[in-house]
């Protein structure tokens, strides 16, 4: 346990926070003084505890199968509903619980496209009753595989009620099971790099290109998923994030217990229409297990890939003309490539026997881009002319979304969370978050490294930055998949940075 290096890290982090956040001089001074005190106390307590042999870090992990037991099931992820007849590969809730004797946290990453807040809240409540882990110290997310079971109404897919109840139970079970496996452990982290599998999917097109939007507004300035290699392509409308942060956990005897990775890639896709799949997220878990030689670990090693900030990122290389991909092969290719990058980072990890843990949560209200009276009138006209659904045309699909969105409240509550594991920061966003947001948080976080797990603790659609809202395009088109106000991104980002600041100041 390197108390000294921990304290140095914390001091450097606080300095970062102090310099980057927009605070008044008095607030800065207050934060600095209380932080210095907290650092000294944390250092002294940790040091004496380790000397007294009292503070032990414990970890437990598990993967619980969440593949539906009844078929066919609705599968969302597109504008039309799909009915899956079977699973190509199993879906899982993958959970890691850490307990440093003071604070306990749980992270559960689920093979689902998006999971609404009521499911997570119910699962947290159940798991909390069973384990004593406070709900606010649990981070639960969806991987965003586009071939899982519909648990929230988006476009023309409606939730499978029976599966929703099943999912609540299984997520809660994942936490209780991981908690029951707690054993003395060590943790460490490192950041890998893989620029080969991520591409910004929003493009500026050459002048003369006709952008088409489902509202006939004619205001779009970018096109989502344009044809690869087209001569009409000008340049991507945003960056990518190639980082592959890795948190590794091993037992006191060196056995690998779990590895939580994060990558800003929407998904890979291409699984046959009638099948469910955990996409590359599930395959990553298998590949990293193999790379670590942990296939026979007892209890079973748990590899976890969480989604970063990938609202505008996908796995299509637009710079090269139409290379045809064998979909299932592509999933394996991406998974093994990213697993290799995670493994390279893993090899550099320095483990710590004990680390401070902290989890902080905030609930903020975000505005909703409600349709106007004229918008609703136009939508109803389109639907009247189209008759009963399901709809195939975008104008009709978005007209239906407009009518459904008209019933939304003016503001929605959104839960945000920051977790600190020693010098590592993890924050949650309940949205399909844009890569710029992730990059900004990573850069400005007082904890280095920090990463974002998106589609966590709820589902509130896309979160374009205000600049990306100006550019328009699919991710900004108003629907139940994109309805937050233009200023939502700034509020989410600022709140997450504030929560990271609180997480640095002290564990509870
Ligand atoms: Zn998506």
């Amino acid at each position: 346990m390197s108390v000294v290096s921990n304290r140095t890290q914390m001091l450097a982090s606080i300095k970062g926070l102090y310099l980057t956040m927009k605070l008044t001089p008095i607030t800065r001074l207050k934060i600095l003084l209380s932080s210095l005190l907290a650092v000294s106390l944390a250092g002294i307590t940790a040091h004496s505890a380790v000397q007294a042999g009292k503070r032990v870090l414990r970890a437990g992990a598990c993967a619980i199968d969440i593949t539906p037991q009844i078929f066919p099931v609705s599968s969302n992820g597109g504008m039309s509903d799909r009915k899956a007849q079977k699973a190509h590969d199993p879906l899982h809730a993958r959970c890691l619980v850490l307990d440093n004797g003071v604070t306990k946290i749980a992270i559960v990453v689920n093979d689902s496209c998006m999971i609404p807040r009521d499911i997570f809240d119910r699962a947290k409540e159940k798991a909390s009753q069973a384990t004593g882990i406070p709900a606010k110290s649990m981070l639960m997310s969806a991987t965003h595989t586009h071939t899982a079971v519909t648990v929230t109404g988006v476009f023309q897919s409606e939730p499978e009620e029976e599966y929703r109840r099943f999912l609540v139970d299984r997520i809660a079970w994942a936490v209780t099971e991981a908690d029951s496996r707690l054993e003395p452990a060590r943790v460490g982290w490192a950041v890998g790099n893989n620029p080969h599998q991520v591409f910004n999917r929003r493009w500026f097109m050459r002048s003369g290109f006709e952008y088409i939007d489902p509202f006939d507004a004619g205001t779009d300035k970018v096109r989502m998923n344009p044809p690869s290699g087209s001569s009409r392509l000008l340049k991507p409308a945003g960056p990518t994030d190639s980082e592959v942060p890795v948190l590794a956990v091993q037992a006191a005897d060196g056995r690998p217990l779990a590895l939580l990775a994060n990558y800003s890639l929407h998904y890979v896709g291409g699984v046959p229409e009638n099948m469910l799949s955990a996409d590359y997220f599930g395959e990553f878990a298998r590949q990293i297990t193999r790379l670590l030689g942990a296939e026979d670990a007892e209890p079973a090693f748990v590899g976890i890939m969480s989604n970063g900030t990938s609202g505008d990122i996908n796995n299509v290389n637009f710079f090269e003309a139409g290379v045809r991909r064998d979909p299932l092969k592509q999933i394996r290719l991406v998974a093994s490539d990213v697993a290799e990058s995670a493994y390279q980072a893993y090899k550099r990890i320095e483990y710590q026997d004990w680390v401070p843990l902290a989890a902080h949560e905030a609930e903020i209200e975000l505005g909703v881009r409600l349709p106007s009276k004229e918008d609703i009138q136009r939508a109803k006209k389109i639907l009247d002319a189209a008759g009963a659904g399901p709809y195939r045309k975008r104008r009709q699909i978005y007209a239906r979304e407009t009518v459904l969105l008209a019933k939304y409240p003016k503001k929605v509550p959104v839960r945000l969370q920051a977790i600190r594991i020693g010098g590592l920061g993890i924050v949650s966003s309940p949205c399909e978050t844009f890569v710029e947001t992730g990059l900004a948080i990573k850069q400005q976080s007082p904890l280095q490294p920090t990463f974002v797990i998106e589609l966590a603790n709820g589902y509130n659609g896309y979160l374009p930055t205000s600049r990306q809202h100006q550019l328009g395009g699919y991710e900004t088109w108003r629907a139940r998949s994109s309805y937050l106000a233009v200023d939502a991104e700034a509020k989410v980002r600022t709140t997450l940075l504030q929560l990271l600041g609180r997480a640095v100041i002290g564990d509870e």
Side-chain angles (χ1 to χ4, degrees):
M1 156 87 198
S2 56
V3 172
V4 174
S5 74
N6 246 1
R7 293 179 66 191
T8 316
Q9 261 178 20
M10 284 172 76
L11 282 167
S13 305
I14 288 156
K15 200 174 151 203
L17 167 77
Y18 176 77
L19 292 174
T20 52
M21 293 184 80
K22 285 178 187 140
L23 303 167
T24 63
I26 290 180
T27 318
R28 282 185 177 198
L29 190 65
K30 276 185 191 166
I31 288 182
L32 191 65
L33 288 174
S34 62
S35 311
L36 289 171
L37 183 67
V39 170
S40 320
L41 288 175
I44 292 162
T45 334
H47 192 238
S48 53
V50 168
Q51 275 182 334
K54 274 180 195 162
R55 283 200 173 175
V56 176
L57 180 73
R58 296 186 306 150
C62 72
I64 297 291
D65 196 305
I66 57 168
T67 315
Q69 294 167 329
I70 303 162
F71 287 91
V73 286
S74 164
S75 178
N76 61 355
M79 288 190 193
S80 302
D81 188 40
R82 296 189 319 128
K83 287 276 180 256
Q85 306 291 340
K86 57 181 171 179
H88 169 269
D89 49 87
L91 310 177
H92 284 98
R94 300 173 188 277
C95 179
L96 168 65
V97 172
L98 293 175
D99 177 4
N100 70 357
V102 186
T103 304
K104 246 185 182 185
I105 59 165
I107 297 172
V108 194
V109 177
N110 303 279
D111 292 321
S112 181
C113 193
M114 55 269 281
I115 300 178
R117 179 161 160 181
D118 71 290
I119 289 185
F120 285 138
D121 282 354
R122 279 150 63 202
K124 285 178 188 180
E125 200 186 318
K126 274 192 152 196
S128 185
Q129 278 168 7
T131 62
I133 304 172
K136 74 163 188 65
S137 302
M138 297 186 201
L139 186 159
M140 297 179 173
S141 76
T143 57
H144 206 50
T145 169
H146 277 44
T147 41
V149 187
T150 308
V151 289
T152 189
V154 186
F155 291 118
Q156 300 185 83
S157 299
E158 291 307 321
E160 291 275 347
E161 283 309 323
E162 196 169 340
Y163 184 80
R164 278 168 52 89
R165 286 192 291 274
F166 170 80
L167 189 57
V168 169
D169 290 345
R170 290 284 164 124
I171 298 175
W173 180 18
V175 179
T176 53
E177 181 61 29
D179 186 68
S180 74
R181 294 184 188 181
L182 285 172
E183 63 172 307
R186 307 191 293 166
V187 291
W189 48 88
V191 178
N193 183 49
N194 189 324
H196 311 300
Q197 305 300 343
V198 280
F199 301 92
N200 198 294
R201 70 184 195 182
R202 287 162 56 82
W203 278 73
F204 291 110
M205 307 300 282
R206 292 196 179 278
S207 61
F209 179 85
E210 196 191 343
Y211 298 98
I212 297 166
D213 69 83
F215 308 103
D216 306 318
T219 47
D220 281 1
K221 296 181 184 70
V222 296
R223 160 89 196 262
M224 184 267 270
N225 283 346
S228 301
S230 160
S231 59
R232 317 298 304 276
L233 295 170
L234 189 60
K235 64 168 196 167
T240 59
D241 180 355
S242 61
E243 284 190 358
V244 187
V246 167
L247 166 71
V249 186
Q250 60 172 223
D253 62 11
R255 258 178 307 121
L257 289 178
L259 182 147
L260 168 66
N262 180 265
Y263 192 45
S264 292
L265 171 60
H266 213 92
Y267 72 119
V268 177
V271 177
E273 270 283 297
N274 63 341
M275 290 191 197
L276 299 180
S277 168
D279 203 282
Y280 100 97
F281 307 97
E283 184 61 19
F284 173 89
R286 288 184 284 277
Q287 297 284 349
I288 197 72
T289 306
R290 186 182 55 77
L291 286 169
L292 267 62
E295 294 100 325
D296 302 321
E298 197 54 57
F301 170 81
V302 182
I304 311 171
M305 172 54 81
S306 58
N307 208 323
T309 49
S310 66
D312 48 351
I313 304 298
N314 74 15
N315 186 237
V316 178
N317 184 353
F318 299 99
F319 297 99
E320 289 174 14
V323 183
R324 278 211 170 254
R325 311 183 304 169
D326 176 336
L328 292 171
K329 245 190 211 165
Q330 183 69 10
I331 283 177
R332 284 195 293 277
L333 186 148
V334 173
S336 53
D337 196 29
V338 180
E340 184 58 40
S341 305
Y343 183 55
Q344 292 306 321
Y346 173 83
K347 291 195 285 192
R348 289 188 272 115
I349 286 177
E350 285 178 7
Y351 287 91
Q352 301 192 36
D353 294 327
W354 191 90
V355 288
L357 297 173
H360 290 278
E361 213 175 64
E363 183 151 315
I364 61 169
E365 287 209 315
L366 296 175
V368 174
R369 275 180 289 141
L370 286 171
S372 67
K373 265 187 195 159
E374 294 74 41
D375 293 334
I376 299 164
Q377 269 170 10
R378 174 185 171 275
K380 284 185 172 164
K381 239 189 205 174
I382 291 173
L383 293 180
D384 282 347
Y391 303 109
R392 289 185 164 272
K393 293 188 174 146
R394 282 190 176 174
R395 287 176 86 237
Q396 298 164 351
I397 293 168
Y398 277 85
R400 178 172 175 264
E401 288 294 314
T402 298
V403 172
L404 291 167
L405 257 185
K407 295 175 198 145
Y408 270 42
K410 281 188 184 151
K411 285 182 172 181
V412 289
V414 166
R415 178 171 286 163
L416 300 170
Q417 191 180 39
I419 285 179
R420 170 186 169 208
I421 300 169
L424 173 71
I426 302 175
V427 293
S428 75
S429 162
C431 300
E432 294 195 61
T433 312
F434 271 43
V435 72
E436 289 96 322
T437 306
L439 291 169
I441 289 172
K442 284 179 172 186
Q443 198 195 0
Q444 292 168 35
S445 172
L447 288 168
Q448 293 294 337
T450 286
F451 63 85
V452 183
I453 297 184
E454 73 170 10
L455 291 162
N457 301 324
Y459 171 65
N460 297 91
Y462 278 101
L463 186 68
T465 60
S466 63
R467 173 181 169 262
Q468 294 290 349
H469 267 293
Q470 303 309 316
L471 299 177
Y474 162 74
E475 296 85 350
T476 70
W477 293 347
R478 191 191 55 232
R480 287 175 297 167
S481 58
S482 180
Y483 62 84
L484 293 177
V486 173
D487 65 358
E489 186 275 340
K491 288 182 176 168
V492 168
R493 178 167 37 81
T494 311
T495 307
L496 288 174
L497 284 166
Q498 284 166 354
L499 285 169
L500 281 163
R502 279 176 64 195
V504 163
I505 287 169
D507 52 333
E508 292 174 273

